[in-house]
Amino acid sequence: MENCCEGAGNFFGRQKNTNIRVSLPAVCFVWQIAMIILFGVFIRYNEESDVRKWIEFKHSHNITSDIENDFYFRYPSFQDVHVMIFVGFGFLMTFLKRYSFSGVGFNFLIAAFGLQWALLMQGWFHSLDPNTGKIYIGVENLINADFCVAGSLIAYGALLGKVSPVQLMVVTLFGVTLFAVEEYIILDLLHCRDAGGSMVIHAFGGYYGLAISWVLYRPNLHQSKRLNGSVYHSDVFAMIGTLFLWMFWPSFNSAITAHGDGQHRAVINTYLALASSVLTAVAISSMSQKRGKLDMVHIQNATLAGGVAMGTAAEFMITPYGSLIVGFCCGIISTFGYVFVTPFLEKYFKIQDTCGIHNLHAVPGMLGGFVGAIVAAAASVEVYGREGLIETFAFEGDFATRSVLTQGGYQAAGTCVAITFGLVGGALVGFILKFPIWGDPADDNCYDDEVYWEVPEDEETIPPVLEYNNHMIHKHQDISESNFSVEQS
Amino acid sequence: MENCCEGAGNFFGRQKNTNIRVSLPAVCFVWQIAMIILFGVFIRYNEESDVRKWIEFKHSHNITSDIENDFYFRYPSFQDVHVMIFVGFGFLMTFLKRYSFSGVGFNFLIAAFGLQWALLMQGWFHSLDPNTGKIYIGVENLINADFCVAGSLIAYGALLGKVSPVQLMVVTLFGVTLFAVEEYIILDLLHCRDAGGSMVIHAFGGYYGLAISWVLYRPNLHQSKRLNGSVYHSDVFAMIGTLFLWMFWPSFNSAITAHGDGQHRAVINTYLALASSVLTAVAISSMSQKRGKLDMVHIQNATLAGGVAMGTAAEFMITPYGSLIVGFCCGIISTFGYVFVTPFLEKYFKIQDTCGIHNLHAVPGMLGGFVGAIVAAAASVEVYGREGLIETFAFEGDFATRSVLTQGGYQAAGTCVAITFGLVGGALVGFILKFPIWGDPADDNCYDDEVYWEVPEDEETIPPVLEYNNHMIHKHQDISESNFSVEQS
Amino acid sequence: MENCCEGAGNFFGRQKNTNIRVSLPAVCFVWQIAMIILFGVFIRYNEESDVRKWIEFKHSHNITSDIENDFYFRYPSFQDVHVMIFVGFGFLMTFLKRYSFSGVGFNFLIAAFGLQWALLMQGWFHSLDPNTGKIYIGVENLINADFCVAGSLIAYGALLGKVSPVQLMVVTLFGVTLFAVEEYIILDLLHCRDAGGSMVIHAFGGYYGLAISWVLYRPNLHQSKRLNGSVYHSDVFAMIGTLFLWMFWPSFNSAITAHGDGQHRAVINTYLALASSVLTAVAISSMSQKRGKLDMVHIQNATLAGGVAMGTAAEFMITPYGSLIVGFCCGIISTFGYVFVTPFLEKYFKIQDTCGIHNLHAVPGMLGGFVGAIVAAAASVEVYGREGLIETFAFEGDFATRSVLTQGGYQAAGTCVAITFGLVGGALVGFILKFPIWGDPADDNCYDDEVYWEVPEDEETIPPVLEYNNHMIHKHQDISESNFSVEQS
C-alpha cells in the first residue's frame, strides 16, 4: 500500500521525500533536552506554589486561609482553557475525511512542545526576577503558556494538510518566540489591555498562519482535491471541537482578568457575544445556500467569532447589549468570509487557508482589537468609578496619568503591531519552511494521514464484493476471512 | 442528489416545501435584533460583575477578599451545566444514523437563542428591580438561563427528526416563556424548592415535548423507518452526550443551591443516585432482551434517570442511602418505559417520542417532584437544626411560619403545576406548529439531515462496485476519482 | 445472525454459553441492594455536607465564609477526575473496531458499581468513626472513591475484549477490596505519601490486571485476530479518551493534596511531566516505524506516562525541570514497552494485555513510586522549611520523628507492597474467573460487541452490491429497502 502511494507520487508529480524517521525524533529529542536544561537554569516555583515561600507569604501578608492562593481563583478557568487548546483546537481540525489523526495528533504534539517554550519565552520577557535571574511560575503562567501556544495552533489551521510535523515544530518554535516579543511590546511597552487576546493571540496567529500559507502556496494543490473535504462522521467529530471552544470561551477571556468583578464580567460578556454570533452565523449560512440548507463549515467556525472579537473588550464595561452587538456583527462577517473571502484569497492572493482562519481568527481578532480601543476610549469615571478605572486599565506607575482616550489610541496601535508581527514573521518563517529538508508531502499527497501515520485497514478499504467471490476469498485467505466475519457480525 | 430526494418525496407522499432560505434567516435576524434592543433597555451587570458596584459592595459589606464574589462559588458548576446543555443534550441526540448534524446543530442554535430570551423572561419575573426597571445579571442568572433552555431542549428530544429548525425556534420561544411563568408560580408563589429542576425543568419539559408531539402526530411516519435508527458509530457519539450529562449532573443539581453545605450535599446525593440507576438500568436492559444482550438506547438514557429524579430532593437531607434508593427505582422505571411504554404511547396515544423523553424526563421528573415533597414533609428540627431548616427551605418573610408538612403539600402541588403547564402549553404550541409555513419535512423525509444541511458525499454513498467498472469510472470522472483513491488509501 | 455466531462458535472451538440474561441482572440487583443496606447502616454526611453540622462547625471554628468549605477547594478537581474515570478511561477503550460499546459501556457499569463499594471499603479502613460506627462522607471521599475505581478500570484495560460484564463486576468487587487494604497498609501503616496514586492506583491496578490476564491466558485468541485492531474512526474516538486523561491529569494528581501550595505545585509538576512525555513518545514512535510514521497506539497511551509517573512526587518539591526529566524518561520507556515488551510478554509470559497497561500503568506506576522515594529522601529543611516539611510529609503524631531518609525507604517499600497486592490478588481473582459460569466469550468471539450488545445493522454490513441486484432486493425487502435509501441519501 505504501509502495502504491509512492508510485502515485511518481506518477502525478514531483517526487517528495516524506521520510521523517530521523528528523522528527531528532527535533523532539534535541528540543526536549534543551527545555530540560533551560528549565533547570531558569524556572522555579513561585511564592504560591513553593511550600516554604507560601507559608512565609501567608505569614507576611496576614493571610489566614489557603483559599486566597491564586490557584483557587484561576484553576477552573485554566482547565477550561486547557480543554480548548487540546480538544477544542484538536477536534476542530478533525473535519477532513482522512486527516483526523494529523489534525488532533499534531495539534497535541506542537501544543505540548509550545507550552514549555512559552513558559521560558514569556518568563524572560515578563517575569524574570532581576535579582535571582530566575522565572517563578504559578497557575497564571500555565494559562499564559496555553494562550501563547494558541497563536501557533491558529496558524496550523491555515496549513492543515500541507505541512509535515517537523515543519509544524518549526512554526511553533518561531510562533511562540514572535508571540512573546509582540506581547511584550503590546502589553508592557504600549500598556494595552488584552486579557482574552483578540490582538496578541487571534490577530497575530491568524495573520501569521496566512503569511506562511502565502509563501508555501501550492499551485497544484488540486491534485489532492479528493481528500480536501469532510465525510459525515468527521464533521460530527469536528463539532466536539467547536462546542468545547464555544462553551469554554468565557473561561478563555476571563482566565487572567482581575479577580472578582473582572473575571465575572468577562464571562458574561463573552457568553452573550457567543450566543449572538450563533444566530447570525446560522442566518447567513442558510441565506448563502440553495434551499436554505446549512453548511457545517459555517456552524463549526463562524459561531465562534463572537468569542474571538470579545477577547479585548470582555473585561471592560462594554455592557451586555454591547456584547450582543459585537457577536451579531462578527457572526455575519465571519460567515461571509467563508462564503466569499476564502475562495477570493485563494484565487487572487494565492493564500490556501484550509480551516479559514482568516474568517475565524484574523479578521474577528483585528475587529476585537478595534472594539477594545473604542470601548477603552469611551470609558468614564461615572461608569467605572475612579478606583475601578485604575483597576481595569492598570493606570498605575508610569501610566498613572494616561487618559482613556490615549489608552484607546494605544489599543488600536497594539492591534496594528500584532498584525505586523504576524505578517512579517509569518513570511520569514514561510521562507525557512521552503528548504527541501522538512519532509512535507507532495501536492497529490496532501490532506492524507497515510503519509505520516500507520493508518488501520478499514473494513471499507477491502472491497465488499470480495465476499461473494469464493475464488478470491481463497486467494487472499487472511484478509477476506477477517472481512467476511466483520461484514456478518 | 437533491432532485432525487424531492422525487422520492413526490413518489411516497404529500409534497412539502422544506425551503427555509427566507424563514430561518428572517427568524434569526429579527429575534436577535429584538434581543439586542431588549437587552439595551433592561439588562445591566449586577453588583458582583460591575466594577464600580463591586468595589462599593466590598466596602459596604466589609468584604476583604474577591474570593467572596459569587463567581467563585458557582462558576465551575456553571461551566459543567453549560457542557451538559451543549455537548450533553447535543451529542445525546446524535444517535440517529443520518440526523447527527441536526441533533447537535439545532440543539446548538436553539440553546444559543433560548438563553438570551431566558435571561429576559426570568429577569422580568424574578429579578426586575422595581426602582430602576432594570434586570441585574451575574453568574447565577447565566445558570438559570441554561436551566430554562433545558426545558425546550428536552422537548426537542421528542420532536427529533420531525420538525424544521424554524419550528424549533418557535418551540423554544414559547418554551422559555412558559418556563418562566410556571417557574414564577412554583418557586415564588407556591414557594417550592426545586434547585435541580425535577419539576420546573424535567416534568415541564417532558410533558411539553410530549404534548407537542401528540398534536404533530404523523400517521405515515413509518415511511422514514429506514432512517429512524442508529449505526455503530452514531451510538458511540451519543455516549459522549450520555457521559457528560451523567458526570456533570451533580453540578446541575447543586449549581444554584445554598453556598457551603447545600452545594456539597446536593453533589453527594446526585452522585449516588446516578451510580445506582446505572446498575438497575443495565439489569433491566439485560433482562428485557434475548440472551441478556444490552440495548444502547437504555444505556444512553435510563442511566441518567437518577439525576433527573434527584433534582428537587438533592439539596435536602435525603441521606446517602435515600439517594441510592431513588436511583434504584428510577433506573428500573425508566428502562421499563423504554421497553414497554414508548411503543404503547405511540400505538394507543399517538405520541411519537423519538428520544423517549417520557421515560427519561417526564416520569422521573414527576417522581422527583413527589420525592421532594415527601422528603420535605419529613424534615425535622432534629436533623436540620432550627437554623438549617430555615436556610434549606427558606422559611423567611411571608413563609416564616410555614410547617414542613405544608411545604410538602406545596411541593406536590408544584409538580402538578409543572405538568399542567407542559401539557396545555405544549398542545397550544403544537397547534401553532401545524400551520403549513414552517418548512417541516414530509413523512418520508424525516430523520434526514439532507433536508436542512449540505451533507458531504461519503465514500459509502458511492457504491464501491464502481471502482471495478471502468466504464462507469470514466462516465463519472470526478466522483469516481475521489472514491478510488480513498478506497485505496 | 445470532444463530450464525453460535454456529461459528461450534465450528471454530469449544462451545461457550454467553447468555447473561440471568447472571448480569442478578449480580446488579443483589449488589445494588446490598449497597443500599450497607449505606443505610454506615454512611452519613460529614460535617461539611450536613446542614446542621456545618452551621455548628462554622460557629465552633469561627468560620465566617462558606468558601472555607472543603467543597470549594476540591470540587473542580473532583469533576476533572470524574471525567477521567468515565470519559477518559471509557473512550480510551473504544479503539477496537467492534468493541467500542463494551469499551465505554462496561467501563461505565463497573465504575458506577465500584465507586459505591469504594465509599464503603475506604470508609471502613480510613474514616470509620469509632464512637458512632458511621462513615462520614464529603467531596474528598468521592474523589477517593473515583481513585479506587481507577485501579479496576486499569485492570479492565488488560482484559478488554476477553471477559464478560459479569466477570468485570467480580474484578471490580475484588479490585476495590484489595485496593482499600493495600491503601490502608501503604498510606496508614507505612505512612507513605501517594496523592496521585503512582503506587496505590497505577502499580497496583497494572499488576492486578496483568496477573488476571496471565491466569486467563487464551492460547487460541488468534481466532479473534480479525477484530483485535482499530478502524479509522475508532482511533479518533480513542483520542477523546487520551486527551481528557492528558488534560485533566494535573487535577488527578492534585485533587487530594494539601490546600494551597500543595495543589498548586502538584498541578505544575504534572503539567510539565505530561508535556515532556508527549515529545519523547512521538520521537520513539517515529523511530520505531518504517519511514518514521507514527503509531496511534503510542500516541493514545505513551503520552500519558508522565502523568502516571508523577503520581507520588507531584506534591513534593521535585522542581519543574525534575518533572520534565521524569516525563522525558517515562515517555521513552512506555513507548519502548509498546514496541517490544508487550509482544514479548504475550509470547514468553503468556500475558495478553489488550491495551498495554503494562507500559502505561504498571511500569510507569512502579517508577513513579521509586521517583517519589528518591525525592522524599532528598527533601531538606532548606528547601521545604521546617513547617513545610511537616506539612508535606505529615510528620505528625506517631511519625513526628521520622527522617526524610526513612520516609524514602518506606515509600520504596510501599511500591513493593502495591505490586505484591496486584500480582497475588490478581492471580487469585483470575482463578475465580476461570469457573465456567461467568458467560465469557469463546476464543473466536472475543473483541466483539455482538456477544453482549444489540448492535445496530450498519449500512456497511449489508453488501452495497445488493442495490444493483433487483432480485435480491425483492427477496430481502425490509433490509434492502432501508439500505437502498441510505446509500442514496
Side-chain angles (χ1 to χ4, degrees):
Chain A
M1 192 149 293
E2 207 168 299
N3 289 331
C4 120
C5 286
E6 290 175 69
N10 274 324
F11 183 83
F12 282 110
R14 63 184 166 140
Q15 182 69 37
K16 284 263 189 177
N17 180 7
T18 60
N19 190 331
I20 50 171
R21 194 173 179 178
V22 173
S23 56
L24 183 60
V27 166
C28 288
F29 273 124
V30 171
W31 293 5
Q32 188 58 54
I33 290 167
M35 289 301 110
I36 291 173
I37 295 169
L38 290 168
F39 269 60
V41 176
F42 288 104
I43 306 269
R44 297 293 178 269
Y45 303 120
N46 76 3
E47 61 202 359
E48 302 194 282
S49 57
D50 181 299
V51 60
R52 193 170 57 75
K53 289 187 196 160
W54 174 242
I55 291 170
E56 290 169 9
F57 185 85
K58 283 196 289 185
H59 287 316
S60 64
H61 287 69
N62 245 337
I63 292 171
T64 56
S65 170
D66 281 317
I67 199 88
E68 295 290 335
N69 196 302
D70 195 37
F71 181 77
Y72 300 103
F73 288 88
R74 308 221 181 269
Y75 188 64
S77 308
F78 161 68
Q79 274 297 7
D80 293 349
V81 171
H82 218 40
V83 171
M84 292 174 73
I85 297 296
F86 289 89
V87 163
F89 281 104
F91 271 85
L92 191 58
M93 292 196 272
T94 59
F95 76 100
L96 290 170
K97 64 180 81 166
R98 280 282 143 173
Y99 208 65
S100 305
F101 286 11
S102 304
V104 68
F106 295 158
N107 182 79
F108 190 20
L109 170 63
I110 63 177
F113 161 66
L115 58 86
Q116 299 177 57
W117 181 229
L119 281 171
L120 283 163
M121 282 301 300
Q122 293 187 315
W124 285 323
F125 276 100
H126 295 281
S127 48
L128 192 72
D129 185 307
N131 299 320
T132 61
K134 304 293 181 200
I135 299 159
Y136 297 99
I137 62 170
V139 68
E140 193 169 338
N141 301 72
L142 305 190
I143 297 171
N144 275 314
D146 273 21
F147 279 1
C148 184
V149 166
S152 300
L153 301 183
I154 290 166
Y156 179 27
L159 308 172
L160 190 71
K162 301 173 295 179
V163 291
S164 76
V166 184
Q167 285 179 309
L168 286 173
M169 293 290 276
V170 176
V171 167
T172 307
L173 182 77
F174 287 101
V176 168
T177 310
L178 289 162
F179 184 102
V181 177
E182 56 114 24
E183 189 192 34
Y184 176 70
I185 294 171
I186 294 171
L187 301 191
D188 291 37
L189 301 188
L190 302 182
H191 194 70
C192 297
R193 307 295 289 169
D194 194 21
S198 284
M199 308 185 251
V200 296
I201 301 171
H202 298 287
F204 165 74
Y207 286 105
Y208 181 59
L210 291 172
I212 298 174
S213 202
W214 173 70
V215 177
L216 297 183
Y217 180 69
R218 289 168 178 264
N220 298 314
L221 191 57
H222 59 84
Q223 288 174 4
S224 295
K225 211 180 75 183
R226 70 195 184 283
L227 292 175
N228 187 4
S230 61
V231 289
Y232 194 70
H233 280 166
S234 72
D235 266 329
V236 182
F237 277 119
M239 280 304 289
I240 297 174
T242 299
L243 287 176
F244 276 103
L245 287 171
W246 194 91
M247 294 181 303
F248 288 165
W249 218 293
S251 299
F252 194 91
N253 285 350
S254 71
I256 57 165
T257 54
H259 288 176
D261 66 286
Q263 292 194 281
H264 204 149
R265 188 169 54 253
V267 161
I268 295 172
N269 290 332
T270 312
Y271 173 91
L272 292 174
L274 286 161
S276 180
S277 59
V278 172
L279 270 86
T280 51
V282 166
I284 303 294
S285 180
S286 177
M287 281 171 67
S288 69
Q289 303 280 339
K290 240 186 339 178
R291 301 183 57 75
K293 292 186 181 192
L294 299 171
D295 188 325
M296 258 292 169
V297 172
H298 307 157
I299 307 303
Q300 283 161 9
N301 293 281
T303 51
L304 301 166
V308 173
M310 288 301 290
T312 303
E315 61 178 326
F316 301 158
M317 296 285 289
I318 187 173
T319 72
Y321 65 89
S323 304
L324 288 182
I325 293 170
V326 171
F328 187 92
C329 298
C330 287
I332 295 173
I333 292 166
S334 183
T335 318
F336 266 118
Y338 279 97
V339 178
F340 298 112
V341 184
T342 298
F344 181 86
L345 285 179
E346 174 150 5
K347 200 163 174 195
Y348 297 102
F349 284 81
K350 304 205 176 306
I351 297 173
Q352 289 152 335
D353 177 6
T354 314
C355 292
I357 62 165
H358 174 268
N359 318 303
L360 177 51
H361 297 283
V363 169
M366 183 185 64
L367 291 177
F370 292 126
V371 168
I374 294 166
V375 178
S380 68
V381 174
E382 195 192 343
V383 171
Y384 289 75
R386 192 163 305 278
E387 205 180 322
L389 212 54
I390 293 168
E391 188 187 296
T392 306
F393 295 98
F395 287 154
E396 295 160 318
D398 293 349
F399 306 97
T401 57
R402 190 183 271 190
S403 75
V404 291
L405 266 178
T406 320
Q407 179 67 25
Y410 276 104
Q411 297 279 146
T415 311
C416 300
V417 171
I419 295 169
T420 311
F421 258 82
L423 288 174
V424 177
L428 292 173
V429 172
F431 283 110
I432 294 171
L433 297 181
K434 290 207 93 166
F435 294 139
I437 57 171
W438 305 114
D440 51 319
D443 289 341
D444 58 308
N445 248 344
C446 288
Y447 312 116
D448 193 353
D449 276 337
E450 193 72 44
V451 182
Y452 303 114
W453 296 84
E454 296 288 328
V455 177
E457 315 249 348
D458 269 27
E459 53 258 75
E460 294 97 328
T461 64
I462 301 155
V465 77
L466 275 182
E467 59 181 290
Y468 299 94
N469 188 331
N470 277 316
H471 178 64
M472 291 185 77
I473 288 177
H474 289 297
K475 274 174 78 177
H476 305 271
Q477 197 73 46
D478 282 353
I479 298 171
S480 63
E481 185 191 331
S482 143
N483 183 55
F484 187 67
S485 314
V486 176
E487 298 286 324
Q488 269 198 349
S489 73
Chain B
M1 190 150 293
E2 207 169 298
N3 288 332
C4 120
C5 286
E6 289 176 69
N10 276 325
F11 183 83
F12 281 111
R14 64 185 165 139
Q15 180 69 36
K16 283 264 190 178
N17 180 8
T18 60
N19 189 330
I20 49 170
R21 195 173 179 179
V22 173
S23 55
L24 183 60
V27 166
C28 288
F29 273 124
V30 171
W31 293 6
Q32 188 57 54
I33 291 169
M35 290 300 109
I36 292 173
I37 294 169
L38 290 169
F39 269 61
V41 177
F42 289 105
I43 306 269
R44 297 292 178 271
Y45 303 119
N46 75 4
E47 62 201 358
E48 303 194 285
S49 56
D50 181 299
V51 61
R52 193 169 57 76
K53 289 186 196 162
W54 174 241
I55 291 171
E56 289 169 9
F57 185 85
K58 282 195 289 184
H59 287 316
S60 63
H61 288 69
N62 245 335
I63 292 171
T64 55
S65 169
D66 281 316
I67 198 90
E68 296 289 334
N69 194 303
D70 195 37
F71 182 77
Y72 301 103
F73 288 87
R74 306 220 181 269
Y75 189 63
S77 308
F78 161 68
Q79 274 298 7
D80 293 350
V81 171
H82 217 40
V83 171
M84 291 174 74
I85 297 296
F86 288 90
V87 163
F89 281 104
F91 271 85
L92 191 58
M93 293 195 272
T94 59
F95 75 100
L96 290 171
K97 64 181 82 165
R98 280 281 142 173
Y99 208 66
S100 304
F101 286 11
S102 303
V104 69
F106 294 159
N107 183 80
F108 190 19
L109 169 64
I110 63 177
F113 161 66
L115 58 84
Q116 299 178 55
W117 181 228
L119 281 172
L120 283 163
M121 282 300 301
Q122 293 187 315
W124 285 323
F125 276 100
H126 295 282
S127 48
L128 192 72
D129 185 307
N131 298 321
T132 61
K134 304 291 181 201
I135 299 160
Y136 297 99
I137 63 170
V139 67
E140 193 170 337
N141 301 71
L142 305 190
I143 298 171
N144 275 314
D146 272 22
F147 278 2
C148 184
V149 166
S152 300
L153 301 182
I154 290 166
Y156 180 30
L159 308 173
L160 190 71
K162 302 173 295 178
V163 289
S164 75
V166 184
Q167 287 180 307
L168 286 173
M169 294 290 277
V170 175
V171 166
T172 308
L173 180 77
F174 286 101
V176 167
T177 309
L178 289 162
F179 184 101
V181 177
E182 58 114 25
E183 190 191 34
Y184 176 70
I185 294 171
I186 295 171
L187 301 191
D188 290 37
L189 301 187
L190 303 182
H191 194 70
C192 298
R193 307 295 289 170
D194 193 20
S198 284
M199 307 186 252
V200 296
I201 301 170
H202 298 288
F204 165 74
Y207 286 104
Y208 180 60
L210 292 172
I212 298 174
S213 203
W214 173 71
V215 177
L216 297 183
Y217 180 69
R218 290 168 177 263
N220 298 314
L221 190 59
H222 57 86
Q223 289 175 3
S224 294
K225 212 179 76 184
R226 70 195 186 281
L227 292 175
N228 187 3
S230 62
V231 291
Y232 194 70
H233 280 167
S234 71
D235 267 330
V236 182
F237 277 119
M239 280 304 289
I240 297 173
T242 299
L243 287 175
F244 275 102
L245 287 171
W246 194 90
M247 295 181 301
F248 289 164
W249 217 294
S251 299
F252 194 91
N253 286 350
S254 71
I256 56 165
T257 55
H259 289 176
D261 66 287
Q263 292 194 282
H264 204 150
R265 186 169 57 254
V267 161
I268 296 173
N269 290 331
T270 311
Y271 173 91
L272 293 174
L274 285 162
S276 180
S277 59
V278 172
L279 270 86
T280 52
V282 166
I284 302 294
S285 180
S286 177
M287 281 171 67
S288 69
Q289 304 278 341
K290 245 187 333 180
R291 301 181 57 76
K293 291 187 181 191
L294 298 171
D295 187 325
M296 258 292 167
V297 171
H298 307 156
I299 307 303
Q300 282 161 9
N301 293 280
T303 52
L304 302 167
V308 174
M310 288 302 288
T312 303
E315 62 178 328
F316 302 158
M317 295 285 289
I318 188 173
T319 74
Y321 64 90
S323 304
L324 288 181
I325 292 170
V326 170
F328 187 92
C329 298
C330 286
I332 295 173
I333 292 166
S334 183
T335 318
F336 266 119
Y338 280 96
V339 178
F340 298 113
V341 183
T342 298
F344 181 86
L345 285 179
E346 173 150 6
K347 201 163 170 194
Y348 296 103
F349 283 81
K350 306 205 173 307
I351 296 173
Q352 289 153 336
D353 177 6
T354 313
C355 291
I357 62 164
H358 174 268
N359 318 303
L360 177 50
H361 297 282
V363 169
M366 183 184 63
L367 292 176
F370 293 125
V371 167
I374 294 166
V375 178
S380 69
V381 174
E382 197 192 339
V383 171
Y384 288 75
R386 194 163 302 279
E387 205 179 325
L389 212 54
I390 293 167
E391 188 187 296
T392 306
F393 295 99
F395 287 154
E396 296 160 318
D398 293 349
F399 307 97
T401 57
R402 191 184 269 190
S403 75
V404 292
L405 266 178
T406 319
Q407 179 68 25
Y410 276 105
Q411 297 278 147
T415 311
C416 300
V417 170
I419 295 170
T420 310
F421 258 82
L423 289 175
V424 176
L428 292 173
V429 172
F431 283 110
I432 295 170
L433 296 181
K434 291 205 93 167
F435 294 139
I437 56 170
W438 305 115
D440 49 320
D443 289 340
D444 59 305
N445 247 345
C446 287
Y447 313 116
D448 193 353
D449 276 338
E450 192 71 45
V451 182
Y452 303 113
W453 296 84
E454 295 289 328
V455 177
E457 314 249 350
D458 268 28
E459 52 258 78
E460 294 98 329
T461 63
I462 301 155
V465 78
L466 275 182
E467 58 181 290
Y468 297 95
N469 188 331
N470 276 316
H471 180 62
M472 289 186 75
I473 287 178
H474 288 297
K475 272 175 77 178
H476 304 270
Q477 197 73 44
D478 283 355
I479 299 172
S480 61
E481 185 190 333
S482 145
N483 183 56
F484 187 69
S485 315
V486 176
E487 298 287 324
Q488 270 196 350
S489 72
Chain C
M1 191 150 293
E2 210 168 293
N3 288 332
C4 118
C5 286
E6 289 175 69
N10 275 324
F11 184 83
F12 281 111
R14 64 183 165 140
Q15 180 69 36
K16 284 264 190 180
N17 180 8
T18 60
N19 189 330
I20 51 170
R21 194 172 178 180
V22 173
S23 55
L24 182 60
V27 166
C28 288
F29 273 124
V30 171
W31 292 5
Q32 187 58 54
I33 291 168
M35 289 301 109
I36 291 173
I37 295 169
L38 290 168
F39 269 61
V41 177
F42 288 105
I43 306 269
R44 297 292 178 272
Y45 303 119
N46 75 4
E47 61 202 359
E48 302 194 283
S49 56
D50 181 298
V51 59
R52 192 169 58 75
K53 289 184 194 162
W54 175 242
I55 290 171
E56 290 168 10
F57 185 86
K58 283 196 289 184
H59 287 316
S60 64
H61 286 70
N62 246 335
I63 291 171
T64 54
S65 170
D66 281 316
I67 199 89
E68 296 289 335
N69 195 303
D70 195 37
F71 181 78
Y72 300 103
F73 289 89
R74 306 220 182 269
Y75 189 65
S77 308
F78 161 68
Q79 273 298 7
D80 293 350
V81 171
H82 217 41
V83 171
M84 292 174 74
I85 298 295
F86 288 89
V87 163
F89 281 104
F91 271 84
L92 192 58
M93 292 195 272
T94 58
F95 76 100
L96 290 171
K97 65 180 81 163
R98 281 280 142 172
Y99 208 66
S100 304
F101 286 10
S102 303
V104 68
F106 294 160
N107 182 80
F108 189 20
L109 170 64
I110 63 178
F113 162 66
L115 58 87
Q116 299 177 55
W117 181 229
L119 281 171
L120 284 162
M121 281 300 301
Q122 293 186 316
W124 285 324
F125 276 100
H126 295 281
S127 48
L128 192 71
D129 185 308
N131 298 320
T132 60
K134 304 292 181 200
I135 299 159
Y136 297 99
I137 62 170
V139 67
E140 193 169 339
N141 301 71
L142 305 190
I143 298 171
N144 274 315
D146 272 20
F147 278 2
C148 184
V149 166
S152 299
L153 301 182
I154 291 166
Y156 180 29
L159 308 173
L160 190 73
K162 302 174 294 180
V163 290
S164 75
V166 184
Q167 285 179 311
L168 286 173
M169 293 290 276
V170 175
V171 166
T172 308
L173 181 78
F174 286 101
V176 167
T177 311
L178 289 162
F179 184 102
V181 177
E182 57 113 25
E183 189 192 34
Y184 176 70
I185 295 171
I186 294 171
L187 301 191
D188 290 38
L189 300 188
L190 302 181
H191 195 70
C192 297
R193 305 297 288 171
D194 194 20
S198 284
M199 308 185 251
V200 297
I201 301 171
H202 298 287
F204 164 75
Y207 286 105
Y208 179 62
L210 292 171
I212 298 175
S213 202
W214 173 71
V215 177
L216 297 183
Y217 180 69
R218 288 168 178 263
N220 297 314
L221 191 58
H222 58 83
Q223 289 174 3
S224 295
K225 212 180 74 182
R226 71 195 184 283
L227 292 175
N228 187 3
S230 61
V231 290
Y232 194 70
H233 279 167
S234 72
D235 266 331
V236 182
F237 278 118
M239 281 303 290
I240 297 173
T242 298
L243 288 176
F244 276 101
L245 287 171
W246 193 91
M247 295 180 303
F248 289 164
W249 218 294
S251 299
F252 193 91
N253 285 350
S254 70
I256 56 164
T257 54
H259 289 176
D261 66 286
Q263 292 194 281
H264 204 149
R265 187 168 56 251
V267 161
I268 296 172
N269 289 332
T270 311
Y271 173 91
L272 293 174
L274 285 162
S276 180
S277 60
V278 172
L279 270 86
T280 51
V282 166
I284 302 294
S285 180
S286 177
M287 283 170 67
S288 70
Q289 304 279 342
K290 242 186 338 180
R291 302 181 57 75
K293 292 187 181 192
L294 298 171
D295 188 325
M296 258 291 168
V297 171
H298 307 157
I299 308 303
Q300 282 160 9
N301 293 281
T303 51
L304 301 167
V308 173
M310 288 302 289
T312 304
E315 61 178 326
F316 302 159
M317 295 285 289
I318 188 174
T319 74
Y321 65 90
S323 305
L324 288 181
I325 293 170
V326 170
F328 186 93
C329 299
C330 286
I332 295 172
I333 292 166
S334 182
T335 318
F336 266 120
Y338 279 96
V339 178
F340 298 113
V341 184
T342 298
F344 181 86
L345 285 179
E346 174 150 5
K347 199 163 174 195
Y348 297 102
F349 283 81
K350 305 205 174 306
I351 296 173
Q352 289 153 334
D353 178 5
T354 313
C355 291
I357 62 165
H358 175 268
N359 317 304
L360 176 51
H361 297 283
V363 169
M366 184 184 64
L367 293 176
F370 293 125
V371 167
I374 294 166
V375 178
S380 69
V381 174
E382 196 192 340
V383 171
Y384 288 75
R386 194 162 304 278
E387 204 180 324
L389 212 54
I390 293 169
E391 188 187 296
T392 306
F393 295 100
F395 287 153
E396 296 159 318
D398 293 349
F399 307 97
T401 58
R402 190 184 268 189
S403 76
V404 291
L405 265 179
T406 321
Q407 179 68 25
Y410 276 104
Q411 297 278 146
T415 311
C416 301
V417 171
I419 295 168
T420 310
F421 257 83
L423 289 174
V424 176
L428 292 174
V429 172
F431 283 110
I432 294 170
L433 297 181
K434 291 207 92 167
F435 294 138
I437 57 170
W438 303 117
D440 51 318
D443 288 341
D444 59 306
N445 247 343
C446 286
Y447 312 116
D448 193 353
D449 276 337
E450 193 71 44
V451 182
Y452 303 114
W453 296 84
E454 296 287 329
V455 177
E457 314 249 348
D458 268 27
E459 53 256 74
E460 294 97 330
T461 63
I462 302 157
V465 78
L466 275 183
E467 59 181 290
Y468 299 95
N469 187 330
N470 276 316
H471 179 64
M472 289 185 76
I473 287 178
H474 289 296
K475 272 174 79 179
H476 304 271
Q477 197 73 45
D478 282 354
I479 299 172
S480 60
E481 186 191 331
S482 143
N483 182 57
F484 186 68
S485 315
V486 176
E487 297 286 325
Q488 271 197 347
S489 72

